[in-house]
Amino acid sequence: MNSTNLTTADGVPLKTSLRRAQRRHRLKAVLLVTPLFAFLLVAFVLPIMDMLTRSVDNPEVITYMPQTAEALIAWNGDGLPGEAVFAAAAHDLAKGSRERTIGHVASRLNYEKGGMRSLVMKTARKAKKWESGPYRELILAADKRWREPDVWLLIKRQSAPYTLSYFLSALDLRHGSDGSIESKPAHMKIYVDLFMRTLWMSALITALCLLLGYPVAFLLATLPMRQANLLMILVLLPFWTSMLVRTTTWIAILQSQGVLNDLFVWTGLIDDANRIQMIYNKTGTIIAMTHILLPFMILPLYSVMKTIPPSYMRAARSMGATAFTAFRRVYFPQTLTGIGAGSILVFILSIGYYITPALVGGQSGRFITNFIAYHMQQSLNWGLAAAIGSLLLGVVIALYMLYNRLIGIDNMKLG
Amino acid sequence: MAPPPYATGPERLWHYAFRLLCGLIFVFLIGPILVIIPLSFNAEPYFTFTKAMIEFDPEGYSLRWYEDFFTSQAWLGAIKNSFIVAFFSTILATGLGTLAALGMSSRHMPWRVPIMAVLISPMIVPLIISAAGMFFFFSKYHLTQTYLGVILAHTALGLPFVVITVTATLTGFNHSLTRAAASLGASPARAFFKVVLPLVTPGVISGALFAFIASFDEVVVVLFIAGPEQRTIPIQMWSGIREQISPTILAVATLLVAISIGLLTVLELLRRRGERLRGLTPG
């Protein structure tokens, strides 16, 4: 009998009926997820997109010096531009000065070349009083820096509505005077080193977490359940405690007038005058962050180790393996998924950490995130903040995909 | 637990050395949290134990930092704000997250993995990046410096916790229980309320607790998008640590640890109840 001939009681072919039922189920599932998905789209995904666009967005020159931008298109970049460009610039500068919008252009150009802010602001103030041309002479007389073709090349380059210059800055690169990309002089290089330091310190923190977390997870997985549950509380309590609280507590312990230094002095280990500087530097960041992230290592390790039957180790021992060989050849390979899950998780969380490095990192323990915050809140160079953020997000997403590939997002558990 | 009877001499030694090592790691984990509790009762404005404290002289201890906390307008305002924001964002996150988890745990859900990846992403994306994005985006719609903005942001950050916890509960759900209820004559609604709901509720409550604490402890996003009106406890602590470091912060920290202990206890009770209902007993 052919399967297409099967029908339900009311005469509908079974296949059709089944497909209809499944479609109904699918629709129900999709409808349940839709509100959350829509919410996340608006409250989370769009904001992230906004940040990504800001890293290439370049509206200042084209919005506030539109005539200059237009006139510079015709200029081939050789020598100084012609009177048309100067006239347009004089008009835009005067208008920008009157409408108080020229400051945006001045700050934008200043990100690319020091001194541009004062040059633009000063010339704009003078331009308000100019009645008629030739504007070339007026502008060149206003400040001799306008004689440099580089300045005009810079304005021409920044007239494009989109720019890569924030990304170049974030990678310690810049446009040379001929428009090619060159590396910044050594004393201006900050971000690549910071990225490297962030990655390196995060790797160290991950390694420390693994080193401390593995034995604890092993102990928890091998103890009888009642004892393991009790000890588990010692892991879960820090996990549930605000990381601000945990950072504060490390300040109390590690600072030079703090608990640990007092203990050292009291036991005579160190001299009162030579208290150890353990915080507001790299050491402080590493200790505090290892403590904060350790539960994120222990929990995935534990959930993998719990599934390994203890009889495997006993079997290995009974066949003559030493305890160490049995561990190395039988137990350890089975925990690799847990090591992968914990390590990627801790590493992802670590490179994006902001609060702890900001509070206990001092100068040497700062992370790349601290510079995102700096450009967001102090220097107000939001384009650069967005570009650094986009690069960081790229690293995180790559690691997130690796996590999904190796472990699967479905297997993520909490506590 | 004693070492196995067949263990050789060095193995016994290793066994106890390993226990000692684990003990030290547990001290590292829990010690710092315990240290601040006595320090918060310090009579002096120091972050360390004074001589009087070590000698257990009652003079060395006082409640002055707690008094400071409970009489300060700034701190009281922060408590109010923290609870308002955490309360509303928990309700929103739990509602939306539970619905979504019901859908995600269905076998018929298309594109499960990519959608799950998006739903969990607020937990993975560095907070500073979410905060920057929300600052840019929310300011376009005048949502920065408003309670609504902070609540929406915290809802997004709390959602992954609800989705993960409730989905995990539903994955372990035995569907033959509903069928059994139906075969015994229960209507679908009765089966849902009498059988499904009691089994799923612990998952929903723990998800809600996670969302609550995620909002209650969150600093970075509030730092970026909240105004002076919406200062929460973590923000107050943050500026306290950076500006005028006083042991009041230790008193607050101790209170927050007490809240964590409370939440952890509730979670543990829920877990036990869940295991009991599923017919599992701790060994």
Side-chain angles (χ1 to χ4, degrees), chain A residues 25-26 32 36 43 47 50 54 212 219 229 240 242 244 248-249 255 257 262 291 317 389 400 409-410 412, chain B residues 11 19 25 28-29 32 36 47-48 100 108 112 117 120 129 133-134 136 140 159 164 210 217 234 260 267:
Chain A
H25 280 300
R26 193 160 62 229
L32 283 169
L36 173 58
D50 195 321
R54 255 169 212 270
L212 297 178
L219 183 76
N229 276 346
W240 276 87
S242 147
L244 255 185
T248 315
T249 194
Q255 65 176 337
Q257 300 297 326
D262 277 0
H291 180 246
R317 293 302 303 276
Y400 188 31
I409 294 168
D410 290 23
M412 201 177 267
Chain B
E11 277 178 23
R19 291 293 153 99
I25 299 171
F28 172 72
L29 267 169
I36 50 161
F47 262 43
T48 183
H108 304 280
R112 259 184 58 98
I120 293 180
I129 291 177
M134 285 168 176
F136 293 138
K140 283 188 203 163
L159 275 167
I164 291 176
F210 268 110
D217 288 343
S260 311
L267 270 184

Side-chain angles (χ1 to χ4, degrees), chain A residues 23 124 167 286 338 408:
Chain A
R23 202 163 44 228
F167 274 104
I286 290 171

Side-chain angles (χ1 to χ4, degrees), chain A residues 188-358:
Chain A
M188 287 168 74
K189 287 191 182 178
I190 320 172
Y191 302 112
V192 173
D193 277 358
L194 257 170
F195 265 114
M196 286 304 155
R197 185 206 285 170
T198 306
L199 294 177
W200 182 83
M201 281 176 66
S202 299
L204 184 63
I205 290 164
T206 309
L208 282 173
C209 282
L210 185 59
L211 206 66
L212 297 178
Y214 199 93
V216 168
F218 179 81
L219 183 76
L220 288 175
T222 46
L223 278 181
M225 205 164 156
R226 220 171 269 280
Q227 290 174 40
N229 276 346
L230 268 179
L231 285 177
M232 198 58 169
I233 292 174
L234 302 185
V235 178
L236 288 176
L237 183 61
F239 181 73
W240 276 87
T241 304
S242 147
M243 51 100 187
L244 255 185
V245 169
R246 286 184 279 163
T247 309
T248 315
T249 194
W250 280 110
I251 296 178
I253 293 171
L254 296 178
Q255 65 176 337
S256 52
Q257 300 297 326
V259 177
L260 206 57
N261 262 315
D262 277 0
L263 190 72
F264 287 161
V265 171
W266 183 64
T267 52
L269 219 59
I270 56 167
D271 199 39
D272 195 25
N274 302 322
R275 286 169 176 262
I276 309 167
Q277 185 67 39
M278 288 179 287
I279 203 158
Y280 306 121
N281 57 21
K282 251 182 214 173
T283 323
T285 310
I286 290 171
I287 296 178
M289 284 190 51
T290 304
H291 180 246
I292 289 171
L293 295 174
L294 188 50
F296 290 96
M297 180 67 88
I298 296 178
L299 295 175
L301 276 175
Y302 171 70
S303 69
V304 167
M305 287 176 177
K306 221 172 42 174
T307 61
I308 302 174
S311 51
Y312 287 9
M313 280 283 268
R314 285 204 292 272
R317 293 302 303 276
S318 78
M319 287 186 275
T322 62
F324 179 68
T325 311
F327 173 78
R328 188 172 58 89
R329 300 280 300 275
V330 177
Y331 196 84
F332 182 74
Q334 297 183 79
T335 60
L336 283 175
T337 4
I339 295 179
S343 302
I344 299 177
L345 195 62
V346 168
F347 191 77
I348 289 182
L349 292 172
S350 172
I351 56 173
Y353 237 70
Y354 165 61
I355 294 294
T356 307

Side-chain angles (χ1 to χ4, degrees), chain A residues 324-397:
Chain A
F324 179 68
T325 311
F327 173 78
R328 188 172 58 89
R329 300 280 300 275
V330 177
Y331 196 84
F332 182 74
Q334 297 183 79
T335 60
L336 283 175
T337 4
I339 295 179
S343 302
I344 299 177
L345 195 62
V346 168
F347 191 77
I348 289 182
L349 292 172
S350 172
I351 56 173
Y353 237 70
Y354 165 61
I355 294 294
T356 307
L359 287 177
V360 304
Q363 282 283 336
S364 65
R366 274 188 296 189
F367 276 24
I368 195 75
T369 48
N370 298 106
F371 276 79
I372 300 179
Y374 169 76
H375 288 302
M376 285 295 295
Q377 297 181 310
Q378 267 133 38
S379 82
L380 301 184
N381 188 348
W382 291 347
L384 183 53
I388 302 175
S390 305
L391 291 174
L392 180 62
L393 186 63
V395 177
V396 168
I397 288 177

Side-chain angles (χ1 to χ4, degrees), chain A residues 244 248 359, chain B residues 68-69 72-79 81-82 216 218-219 222-223 227-246 248-249 252 256:
Chain A
L244 255 185
T248 315
L359 287 177
Chain B
D68 207 37
F69 172 70
S72 146
Q73 279 310 313
W75 281 109
L76 290 178
I79 300 176
N81 283 336
S82 275
F216 203 72
E218 203 283 323
V219 204
V222 188
L223 209 56
E229 291 290 299
Q230 293 90 35
R231 287 176 78 91
T232 57
I233 299 176
I235 294 294
Q236 196 70 18
M237 277 187 85
W238 160 265
S239 54
I241 298 171
R242 287 174 65 120
E243 287 145 28
Q244 16 83 293
I245 193 152
S246 98
T248 312
I249 290 167
V252 182
L256 289 181

Side-chain angles (χ1 to χ4, degrees), chain A residues 14-32:
Chain A
L14 195 57
K15 249 186 174 172
T16 321
S17 174
L18 183 68
R19 210 178 303 131
R20 201 177 293 154
Q22 279 181 342
R23 202 163 44 228
R24 219 170 29 240
H25 280 300
R26 193 160 62 229
L27 188 69
K28 203 177 112 191
V30 171
L31 281 179
L32 283 169

